[in-house]
Amino acid sequence: MARANLGYLPRGNPCAQCGKPISSPDWVEQGQGRISYLWSCRACDYRFEAVAIFDERQVEAEPLAA
């Protein structure tokens, strides 16, 4: 099962516009089989989203009822 470790945040991701490193994402959102990161560059004011998608075979479905 692939689970997102939200204790780990990517650091130093380059800006998609100007290439300057961004220290950390502004927002992290975990969904079924994916994690989305919202990045904001302070150097050029560009904002973009990066999405990590996990292999379906490694993602465990959440139980419908307890």
Side-chain angles (χ1 to χ4, degrees), residues 30-64:
Q30 182 177 4
Q32 182 65 28
R34 66 164 181 79
I35 298 180
S36 300
Y37 301 96
L38 178 64
W39 299 89
S40 297
C41 180
R42 290 180 182 31
C44 69
D45 206 30
Y46 186 71
R47 295 177 63 147
F48 62 99
E49 182 178 4
V51 180
I53 299 173
F54 302 109
D55 188 343
E56 287 181 22
R57 295 170 291 184
Q58 296 179 346
V59 176
E60 183 176 298
E62 304 251 344
L64 297 176

